[in-house]
Amino acid sequence: MRRRDFMNCSLAGMASLAVAPALSLTSCTAGKKEEKCAGPEIKISFQEGIPPGESLNEKLDYMESLGVVGFEPGGRGLAGRVQEIQDALKNRNISVAAICAGFDGFILSEDPAVKEQFDTTMREIIAAAGELGSTGVVMVPAFNGQQPCKPHTMDTRNYLCEQLHELGEYAVKCGTTVILEPLNRAECFYMRLVADAAAIARDAQSDGVKCMGDFWHMKEETSDYGAFWSAGTKYLQHVHIASRGRRLMPGEDGEKDDYRDGFRALKEMGYDKFITLECGTQGDRTATTTAAVELMKAQWAEV
Ligand code: MG
């Protein structure tokens, strides 16, 4: 987006909360309070466990009926599923979003055998992700419970950036990326803000290293808007979403499930990648997924 369009877009977006008909970006004009930016369309994606359905094709049929355009499988066993997934997606308006983890071991392990497990299995998943045209493979450097782990020091950060550089360059060769997922201090002390992940991606110095934000984990952020902008278009490659009280479908936690501050940043950035539901449900899956998609589309349209 050109800077002038962005400025107009921001000003118009801030000026109005009213729902207006879709406008082209160039028609966004500062000062006209009834107008706001159309921005990109929201691209909603489901992890495999989200939709009702017995088979992959039943799930994808259901997703298409809701206008869901992305599919996020888990990484475990992905190399053996490439053909199955390619066949199931043929002639559908659904593509593979990110791949959710699924590797063994972890990158910051002090045990060489565990680090080797990570290197081998992560590369297998990255290769399969590339074949599927995925936006990238989601990873966390180390959960708090994973031991023995390298200490939280500057040397470890440097080591992580070097290792990610190699992994990122491999991902580029495969036509995909590695996506760092920040959590929060209760889950992953090492990387707990979107800005942390973005800075590590920057310092890895590879076009194949990116980051994401997950509305569920973003509890320590002071601003969803600021968090997404801290990664910006250069590093933000993916988004996860869930309800904000219990990690259920968006909407199941009522008024807490307000994503508009984050959505506003995504629209201003021209974010055209996926927002994947990663959550459980306490209701009927057909009803809660339908309501979640409606809520996300409505809030996206409002900002
Ligand atoms: Mg997540």
Side-chain angles (χ1 to χ4, degrees):
M1 197 187 306
R2 285 176 297 141
R3 178 171 169 78
R4 186 169 57 83
D5 293 338
F6 162 66
M7 290 301 290
N8 287 343
C9 182
S10 313
L11 290 167
M14 283 187 282
S16 174
L17 283 174
V19 178
L23 301 167
S24 72
L25 277 179
T26 49
S27 70
C28 294
T29 308
K32 286 192 179 177
K33 290 189 176 178
E34 75 281 7
E35 291 184 351
K36 60 189 178 58
C37 293
E41 294 283 310
I42 188 170
K43 286 171 69 175
I44 299 174
S45 161
F46 280 2
Q47 287 191 345
E48 196 160 359
I50 295 290
E54 293 297 315
S55 66
L56 179 55
N57 271 305
E58 279 179 27
K59 289 170 185 280
L60 293 169
D61 285 345
Y62 178 77
M63 287 160 61
E64 274 191 327
S65 76
L66 287 186
V68 170
V69 293
F71 171 61
E72 180 174 324
R76 187 163 299 278
L78 191 69
R81 295 191 67 199
V82 169
Q83 190 67 52
E84 175 206 354
I85 293 171
Q86 283 174 338
D87 289 346
L89 291 179
K90 233 172 244 167
N91 303 318
R92 292 186 188 274
N93 185 30
I94 297 177
S95 44
V96 175
I99 306 297
C100 192
F103 46 83
D104 293 318
F106 62 108
I107 198 169
L108 291 180
S109 177
E110 288 221 279
D111 181 340
V114 174
K115 171 63 165 47
E116 177 63 27
Q117 281 180 341
F118 170 81
D119 287 335
T120 305
T121 55
M122 182 64 171
R123 278 170 172 74
E124 281 172 11
I125 296 168
I126 289 170
E131 285 188 72
L132 289 167
S134 163
T135 54
V137 182
V138 174
M139 66 170 282
V140 173
F143 286 90
N144 285 346
Q146 289 182 305
Q147 296 292 336
C149 182
K150 290 187 179 295
H152 191 185
T153 62
M154 194 65 205
D155 283 346
T156 297
R157 190 184 190 281
N158 292 338
Y159 169 83
L160 177 61
C161 291
E162 286 163 18
Q163 293 295 307
L164 286 171
H165 176 82
E166 286 182 25
L167 206 55
E169 292 300 290
Y170 177 73
V172 168
K173 279 186 200 144
C174 294
T176 188
T177 71
V178 172
I179 304 173
L180 299 171
E181 179 167 22
L183 304 183
N184 53 61
R185 76 185 68 214
E187 300 165 300
C188 168
F189 194 88
Y190 197 86
M191 203 173 65
R192 56 185 186 78
L193 299 173
V194 174
D196 286 341
I200 290 170
R202 177 197 62 198
D203 295 343
Q205 295 182 34
S206 167
D207 288 340
V209 182
K210 303 288 184 184
C211 75
M212 60 173 287
D214 181 327
F215 278 101
W216 167 251
H217 299 295
M218 287 164 62
K219 295 166 190 258
E220 293 186 40
E221 306 284 358
T222 51
S223 157
D224 294 339
Y225 179 86
F228 286 130
W229 263 118
S230 72
T233 51
K234 186 165 183 188
Y235 300 109
L236 192 73
Q237 185 79 356
H238 195 51
V239 173
H240 278 166
I241 195 167
S243 77
R244 310 196 85 169
R246 296 170 294 166
R247 206 178 193 182
L248 303 173
M249 299 289 174
E252 283 192 75
D253 282 323
E255 288 183 1
K256 282 185 183 169
D257 297 343
D258 188 338
Y259 308 98
R260 289 174 295 185
D261 194 42
F263 282 179
R264 187 161 58 87
L266 297 175
K267 279 181 91 169
E268 286 178 5
M269 287 162 59
Y271 178 79
D272 60 359
K273 299 186 176 67
F274 295 97
I275 302 177
T276 296
L277 274 77
E278 182 184 53
C279 53
T281 186
Q282 288 192 345
D284 168 71
R285 200 164 280 279
T286 303
T288 56
T289 50
T290 303
V293 167
E294 282 172 7
L295 176 86
M296 289 169 67
K297 286 183 173 172
Q299 291 193 4
W300 186 268
E302 259 185 69
V303 297

